[in-house]
Amino acid sequence: GAGVSQTPSNKVTEKGKYVELRCDPISGHTALYWYRQSLGQGPEFLIYFQGTGAADDSGLPNDRFFAVRPEGSVSTLKIQRTERGDSAVYLCASSAAGTYNEQFFGPGTRLTVL
Amino acid sequence: AQKITQTQPGMFVQEKEAVTLDCTYDTSDPSYGLFWYKQPSSGEMIFLIYQGSYDQQNATEGRYSLNFQKARKSANLVISASQLGDSAMYFCAMREASGGSNYKLTFGKGTLLTVNP
């Protein structure tokens, strides 16, 4: 079956603009996660959804970042008033209900803020 | 203090030889899980192997094995019979069970493995 997909694969934007990054998890996976990977670093947790609700958004850096998952499947990470420091690869992962032993990651969206 | 430490920024290995990638971790939680992921240049994180803190035996998955030394808080990845396709970044990660956040992975900075023909 299909894995986690993310669109776009690359996004270049100007400082101050608004961007949306999309994640399509594996069908049937109720848990969805967003991570951010800066250059030379490992991924850092941003937010976790169980179903439609954000169970933990403690990793979001500030209120410019917001994520939704209205129907419990596709999720969108939204960044307002982008800053150059937001440039990174944004990774999405999903896992099956009741197990956190394996998170399946998508290919990521590389965001560049000029 | 960093929760996951990978002290080897880069490693080289000859094809068909074994290589060990180091990982030490820091937690006071008695229940935790340790993971290794591979990230090729395409960017996708590929799950390799998992070790639970209460598992009695070291985890193995094909050519991958995890050398789990609980008292030393180390979880080194051993790749046997290296292949050219093993060249990638390798990340060690931990999930702690306490505080209800048993879903959150904390990653190290990674080790870049290069397999030479």
Side-chain angles (χ1 to χ4, degrees):
Chain A
V4 178
S5 63
Q6 293 186 246
T7 54
S9 55
N10 279 284
K11 176 71 177 178
V12 180
T13 191
E14 293 180 345
K15 181 175 179 291
K17 299 289 188 181
Y18 168 83
V19 296
E20 290 189 351
L21 312 180
R22 176 189 168 109
C23 172
D24 216 321
I26 291 172
S27 178
H29 279 189
T30 59
L32 185 145
Y33 319 80
W34 284 97
Y35 292 82
R36 179 167 73 173
Q37 186 175 19
S38 300
L39 194 63
Q41 304 293 319
E44 293 179 309
F45 170 82
L46 294 177
I47 188 170
Y48 157 63
F49 286 91
Q50 183 58 256
T52 60
D56 182 352
D57 63 359
S58 63
L60 295 178
N62 52 59
D63 61 7
R64 294 187 298 106
F65 288 74
F66 189 71
V68 296
R69 194 184 184 201
E71 297 179 358
S73 177
V74 171
S75 175
T76 304
L77 179 65
K78 308 180 180 192
I79 310 174
Q80 298 177 323
R81 304 183 304 280
T82 52
E83 299 177 356
R84 292 195 179 89
D86 298 335
S87 297
V89 175
Y90 290 82
L91 294 165
C92 177
S94 69
S95 65
T99 174
Y100 305 110
N101 286 358
E102 186 171 352
Q103 294 182 15
F104 295 86
F105 282 79
T109 293
R110 181 175 298 278
L111 175 66
T112 303
V113 182
L114 300 177
Chain B
Q2 285 193 350
K3 290 202 170 187
I4 297 288
T5 303
Q6 293 181 255
T7 57
Q8 307 154 315
M11 287 284 286
F12 293 89
V13 65
Q14 284 299 120
E15 194 179 4
K16 299 181 185 177
E17 292 186 351
V19 63
T20 297
L21 306 183
D22 294 342
C23 173
T24 57
Y25 59 92
D26 182 25
T27 182
S28 57
D29 195 331
S31 179
Y32 53 89
L34 297 157
F35 304 74
W36 277 92
Y37 281 84
K38 172 184 178 181
Q39 188 176 45
S41 55
S42 60
E44 189 167 344
M45 299 285 284
I46 301 168
F47 168 76
L48 296 178
I49 196 166
Y50 166 80
Q51 179 86 42
S53 59
Y54 293 119
D55 292 344
Q56 295 297 313
Q57 294 189 328
N58 287 344
T60 60
E61 288 287 348
R63 293 186 301 110
Y64 304 108
S65 60
L66 201 152
N67 184 1
F68 182 45
Q69 299 188 42
K70 196 169 182 177
R72 297 180 60 185
K73 293 189 175 178
S74 75
N76 298 340
L77 176 70
V78 180
I79 305 175
S80 63
S82 298
Q83 303 172 356
L84 295 178
D86 294 335
S87 293
M89 282 291 290
Y90 288 80
F91 290 96
C92 179
M94 178 172 63
R95 181 202 71 214
E96 295 167 287
S98 65
S101 62
N102 59 346
Y103 43 81
K104 188 186 304 186
L105 292 177
T106 302
F107 287 84
K109 292 190 175 183
T111 295
L112 179 62
L113 177 66
T114 303
V115 181
N116 293 317

